[in-house]
Amino acid sequence: MPVPSSRPPRQVTGLRAEPAIARTELSWRSLGFEPLIDHYRVHAVRGAHGRFEPDGANLVGKTVYPQLTHHVDPRGETWTYRVVAVSDAGRSARPSGVLVASSVASVVGTGVPVATIGDFDARTLEHRFAPSGYAQIPAAYPDAVIEFEQGVDSPADAWPYLLPGPGDAWAGRKAYTARWRLTLPAAPAADHDVALWLVDTTRLGGTLRVAVNGAAPAEVALPPGGTRGSREGDATVPGTALVRSYHELPVPAGLLREGGNTIELVLADGGWVAWDAVGLFARR
Amino acid sequence: MPRTTPTFSRREVLRAGGLAAATLALGISAPETAGAASPSDGSFGLGVASGSPRPDSMVLWTRLTRDPLAPDGHGGMPLRSYGVHWEVATDPGLEHVVRRGHALAQPELAHSVHPKVTGLRPATEYFYRFRSGTTSSTVGRFRTLPAAPAVPDTFTVGVVSCQAWYHGHFTAHRHLAAERELDLVVFGGDYVYEYGITAANLWRQGVTVAPEHAAEVQTLEQYRLRYALTKSDPHLQALHARVPAVAIWDDHEVQNNYVGGRSAYGLPDEIFAHRVAVAYRAFYEHLPVDLEALPDGPGSDITTGFDVGHLARFSLLDTRQHRDPVPETAEEQAEPGRTMLGRAQERWVEDRLVDSPAVWNVVASGVVLMPVTEDRTDQWDGYPAARSRLLDAMARSSGVVVLSGDIHHAVAGELRADVADPGAGNVGVELVCTSVASDGDGAPTDGYAPDWLQHEYVRLYDGRRGYLTVTLTPQEMTSTFVCVPWVEADDSAPREVLARFVTPAGTSRLVEA
């Protein structure tokens, strides 16, 4: 009796990309469960190409989901993508058609750093209590205010890796404030940008209020995160459950002044955010 | 000599869903000439197992591998099918073979086979092995269940849960496999863990793991690899070879704290379903379960029950797949319509409890049933109305014993008919099995102890690793909690009895022995 061979998966279709800061959000049509898809292999090469052959050297990720976030150089990049489905039997589909997509440049890549806390490296590890000592934060900051003075304090000593929020019972359900003081030698003549890079947040998402020198705060809507950044600090680990997010806001030149400046970050709604880094950048 | 012929109901074939019915059938039984490639191309590096015990049948399991930890999850096997012979005998030397057959190890199922041996005699000891080419597996042993209405003198069950391979050695399995009396092992959930294995959590000393284990498990190849890593442990293999196994799952077979198809980590349900589907498939591929447990995409039916004559009735629950979401408010938590089991499973277990002819009615739950604190919403504490309904059904039954795990602690408690009424009678007892390895060495007590010991119905609390044995007779149940003082350094820790309780038949009390 001949052994029936399961058919290979169908070709992936519907490949699309959503540009975002320092990354490209890829998605495609699910192939369902017949045959069961072991995983999708995402292949990519830098630049815009009409065609390329997927191989091990240009494999940028595997995922069981019909979507993948491709993290790229923060200066902004163009890549060409193809996706291959692999079945439970290890059979590969024909590669999808190609898709050319560009990410959005980040001020971290394009600007001139004026002041930063931490490294923009998708890790919380340089910050206080990282990667999992969150339980110490309420005792260390009983009034729910974190003070950081640029040039005096270091991330390891004065910037906890989590900023708790009202959704955090373990931190007293308070809206914590992180107050960042920095000194500028002169009032800037041009607009600047604030970059807030997060390694993760909770499934609650939330609202982060950003106020510069007491001006009316800007509100940053935080998407739901992976809820794992309280215990793990490295979002570059393959297959990580951490969900990075990137938020960049313009700061009009008129809001900054010579001498002391204060940038206040308040987690008004939702659960904690896990910092990758924050920075103030001048535009080139 | 009769051969096992596969028979499939129309429902079963339709349920085969994402797996061609022929593939399914050949993984259970196949003609010897079923077009397989050279059969000398694999070995049995992940051991053998038996399960789904019945008075007249048993499911056997093995998986062909060349390199069990090959990163692609296919065990180093070429992506072709291979024939596997099996035989069942009445003697350990397999000279008196009473059944033999042939199945096809196919890449669709990671070269696992699940032959179902039928036509066996009840309450009879058998021995089995597999052969592929010139390679033979280790010899496994099983005893069929007694048939109703027989009441056997004794039946002993081992209970284990929470096998985080990276947190420690499976010393508990070493001791359980060597227990003098043992008829069955119940795996109470978290057979594998999905977390990436890194320097931060690799507490099992004397081992190294390849870089592919560092990522959190999410693809089928990764789940297969994680099962292979777990099943590579020689003590777990010895336990499986010693007695039949039945298994329920909890959350870590898929993802921490997932709830009824919903991820706890922010993924949309329709996206998360892809991960559920591969995780359920890998569960089927690596356990000696019957055809009913073969998933159809992101759905599977692992709820099962069996009778040990009229001595005991076992009902194994799925407390993960059908539950309502985590409550966001106390009002939602208390809603009378909230379900842990889903309506169909709830009715099923109620019927089995109420209509049972057995002296003992054993219910296996992936999470703890007894009330502890209201914020333990992942346990039955998050589903108080559903718990009350189950306790009502237990009150209409007799000899109720709940086996659970999940919490990495050994706990014994009596189940009150009405948790709000201290004077209410008991409806059963609950025996919570500690972990085999999860959380490493542990300690006799810890910061969670007051939550449990505040209740007068809790008789034992201990935070070390180990297992549980439950010996049922027509007169009494003896539950023995065993701990091993360490698991991280090596597998040499001795067997220590933490506590032993006797429950006379017809009562729901735990009497320290």
Side-chain angles (χ1 to χ4, degrees):
Chain A
M1 187 178 85
V3 179
S5 178
S6 62
R7 57 188 171 83
R10 286 170 286 138
Q11 182 184 34
V12 166
T13 60
L15 182 58
R16 58 190 295 274
E18 189 174 322
I21 293 172
R23 65 201 189 280
T24 296
E25 305 280 5
L26 297 161
S27 63
W28 51 92
R29 287 192 196 94
S30 168
L31 292 175
F33 305 106
E34 170 57 60
L36 187 65
I37 302 302
D38 180 327
H39 63 273
Y40 298 94
R41 302 167 73 90
V42 178
H43 298 265
V45 293
R46 275 195 176 82
H49 303 272
R51 187 175 176 82
F52 73 96
E53 290 307 315
D55 60 30
N58 54 40
L59 178 68
V60 296
K62 297 182 190 178
T63 176
V64 72
Y65 308 119
Q67 60 183 38
L68 182 91
T69 299
H70 185 213
H71 296 275
V72 299
D73 190 299
R75 289 171 293 188
E77 286 188 315
T78 296
W79 288 71
T80 303
Y81 297 94
R82 301 186 83 177
V83 179
V84 178
V86 179
S87 73
D88 51 3
R91 296 190 169 88
S92 297
R94 283 196 301 133
S96 71
V98 300
L99 176 74
V100 177
S102 299
S103 65
V104 175
S106 163
V107 299
V108 174
T110 61
V112 178
V114 174
T116 58
I117 303 175
D119 303 320
F120 292 86
D121 62 354
R123 298 177 180 90
T124 65
L125 305 177
E126 69 273 31
H127 298 302
R128 190 178 189 194
F129 303 132
S132 58
Y134 63 90
Q136 301 171 73
I137 295 174
Y141 302 94
D143 57 355
V145 176
I146 293 155
E147 303 273 4
F148 187 94
E149 186 165 355
Q150 195 72 31
V152 175
D153 294 322
S154 72
D157 296 331
W159 192 259
Y161 74 112
L162 295 189
L163 181 66
D168 297 314
W170 58 269
R173 296 195 180 281
K174 300 173 185 172
Y176 275 61
T177 297
R179 194 172 291 139
W180 178 21
R181 300 180 194 281
L182 55 145
T183 301
L184 299 181
D191 293 348
H192 282 45
D193 296 284
V194 166
L196 309 167
W197 282 24
L198 308 180
V199 163
D200 199 15
T201 183
T202 72
R203 64 189 171 90
L204 302 175
T207 304
L208 186 63
R209 291 196 181 128
V210 184
V212 179
N213 287 330
E219 295 204 340
V220 175
L222 303 172
T227 324
R228 289 285 277 277
S230 59
R231 297 175 183 276
E232 300 170 22
D234 187 351
T236 67
V237 172
T240 180
L242 303 172
V243 179
R244 300 184 230 176
S245 64
Y246 307 77
H247 310 279
E248 301 188 352
L249 309 173
V251 180
L255 281 186
L256 297 170
R257 59 196 175 215
E258 179 183 349
N261 292 265
T262 301
I263 297 176
E264 204 164 79
L265 308 168
V266 180
L267 188 51
D269 294 317
W272 52 259
V273 298
W275 299 115
D276 176 353
V278 301
L280 178 68
F281 292 85
R283 296 176 183 174
R284 291 184 193 276
Chain B
M1 180 184 313
R3 289 176 181 275
T4 297
T5 303
T7 57
F8 304 103
S9 69
R10 181 173 178 278
R11 174 175 170 268
E12 287 171 333
V13 172
L14 290 175
R15 279 195 72 254
L19 197 63
T23 300
L24 165 68
L26 293 167
I28 295 171
S29 181
E32 204 159 342
T33 55
S38 165
S40 60
D41 226 347
S43 62
F44 303 95
L46 298 177
V48 301
S50 64
S52 295
R54 298 292 184 273
D56 61 349
S57 70
M58 192 70 69
V59 171
L60 307 182
W61 174 92
T62 195
R63 184 183 157 195
L64 276 186
T65 60
R66 278 180 177 175
D67 173 10
L69 301 184
D72 70 354
H74 285 280
M77 294 295 291
L79 301 178
R80 299 147 59 193
S81 297
Y82 293 89
V84 176
H85 296 267
W86 56 264
E87 52 192 7
V88 173
T90 54
D91 63 299
L94 281 92
E95 292 179 3
H96 305 291
V97 173
V98 294
R99 290 286 185 279
R100 60 165 49 107
H102 184 253
L104 209 56
Q106 301 160 97
E108 286 81 358
L109 291 172
H111 295 95
S112 65
V113 293
H114 295 73
K116 184 169 185 173
V117 187
T118 58
L120 300 173
R121 297 173 62 84
T124 303
E125 185 175 49
Y126 292 99
F127 301 85
Y128 64 96
R129 72 179 166 203
F130 294 92
R131 182 171 52 78
S132 179
T134 57
T135 306
S136 293
S137 73
T138 186
V139 175
R141 168 201 169 278
F142 65 80
R143 185 176 179 83
T144 50
L145 297 178
V151 179
D153 293 340
T154 182
F155 190 81
T156 297
V157 183
V159 188
V160 291
S161 72
C162 303
Q163 304 180 143
W165 179 92
Y166 46 84
H167 273 180
H169 294 270
F170 289 176
T171 318
H173 290 327
R174 178 167 70 84
H175 290 301
L176 180 56
E179 288 281 350
R180 197 161 57 86
E181 300 295 331
L182 192 64
D183 295 294
L184 178 75
V185 59
V186 176
F187 287 88
D190 296 339
Y191 193 95
V192 294
Y193 277 68
E194 82 283 16
Y195 297 128
I197 302 174
T198 65
N201 64 3
L202 183 54
W203 304 345
R204 175 187 274 229
Q205 296 172 25
V207 300
T208 57
V209 294
E212 53 269 21
H213 298 277
E216 173 151 331
V217 172
Q218 63 161 236
T219 66
L220 181 57
E221 68 179 17
Q222 290 173 317
Y223 280 106
R224 285 169 167 169
L225 186 56
R226 186 54 58 90
Y227 275 98
L229 180 68
T230 303
K231 293 182 79 78
S232 67
D233 185 280
H235 304 313
L236 176 58
Q237 290 189 17
L239 179 61
H240 272 298
R242 165 83 193 277
V243 286
V246 294
I248 56 173
W249 56 38
D250 191 30
D251 53 342
H252 290 288
E253 283 85 355
V254 180
Q255 185 190 42
N256 182 45
N257 286 346
Y258 87 101
V259 173
R262 178 167 299 177
S263 170
Y265 300 105
L267 276 174
D269 292 357
E270 68 275 15
I271 298 297
F272 185 60
H274 295 80
R275 180 165 173 179
V276 173
V278 299
Y280 286 2
R281 167 65 77 77
F283 180 88
Y284 174 80
E285 289 173 349
H286 291 87
L287 284 158
V289 289
D290 215 336
L291 186 57
E292 293 292 329
L294 181 74
D296 180 4
S300 184
D301 181 6
I302 65 158
T303 305
T304 189
F306 55 88
D307 289 355
V308 183
H310 278 181
L311 175 65
R313 165 166 287 187
F314 283 74
S315 301
L316 309 181
L317 302 179
D318 179 347
T319 49
R320 189 54 61 177
Q321 189 180 186
H322 308 293
R323 59 164 69 184
D324 280 336
V326 175
E328 294 189 355
T329 64
E331 292 73 26
E332 183 184 344
Q333 188 169 346
E335 281 178 3
R338 276 174 62 74
T339 182
M340 169 69 93
L341 302 177
R343 300 291 169 229
Q345 189 179 208
E346 204 171 289
R347 279 195 300 274
W348 175 84
V349 70
E350 178 184 349
D351 290 347
R352 288 179 62 80
L353 284 166
V354 174
D355 299 336
S356 173
V359 178
W360 301 102
N361 286 283
V362 182
V363 176
S365 167
V367 290
V368 169
L369 179 65
M370 74 178 79
V372 187
T373 57
E374 290 178 354
D375 61 350
R376 284 178 158 76
T377 54
D378 192 57
Q379 301 173 189
W380 284 85
D381 277 328
Y383 304 81
R387 175 168 56 201
S388 292
R389 293 193 295 273
L390 182 57
L391 291 173
D392 285 348
M394 290 174 171
R396 289 182 282 143
S397 185
S398 63
V400 172
V401 181
V402 175
L403 305 176
S404 58
D406 172 47
I407 60 169
H408 312 169
H409 290 77
V411 173
E414 295 171 352
L415 293 167
R416 299 283 187 258
D418 181 352
V419 296
D421 179 5
N426 295 345
V427 299
V429 300
E430 181 168 8
L431 309 171
V432 187
C433 180
T434 188
S435 64
V436 170
S438 306
D439 283 347
D441 291 346
T445 191
D446 55 28
Y448 299 117
D451 287 356
W452 297 79
L453 295 173
Q454 66 176 317
H455 302 296
E456 47 82 26
Y457 48 77
V458 172
R459 298 282 186 266
L460 170 71
Y461 178 90
D462 190 280
R464 284 169 287 182
R465 310 288 72 85
Y467 62 92
L468 165 68
T469 63
V470 180
T471 297
L472 303 169
T473 74
Q475 293 77 38
E476 63 185 22
M477 172 181 75
T478 302
S479 46
T480 304
F481 288 85
V482 174
C483 89
V484 290
W486 69 86
V487 295
E488 296 175 28
D490 56 36
D491 63 356
S492 69
R495 172 190 185 275
E496 295 182 1
V497 174
L498 266 182
R500 180 174 285 126
F501 299 95
V502 170
T503 301
T507 75
S508 296
R509 292 182 287 118
L510 291 166
V511 181
E512 195 148 3

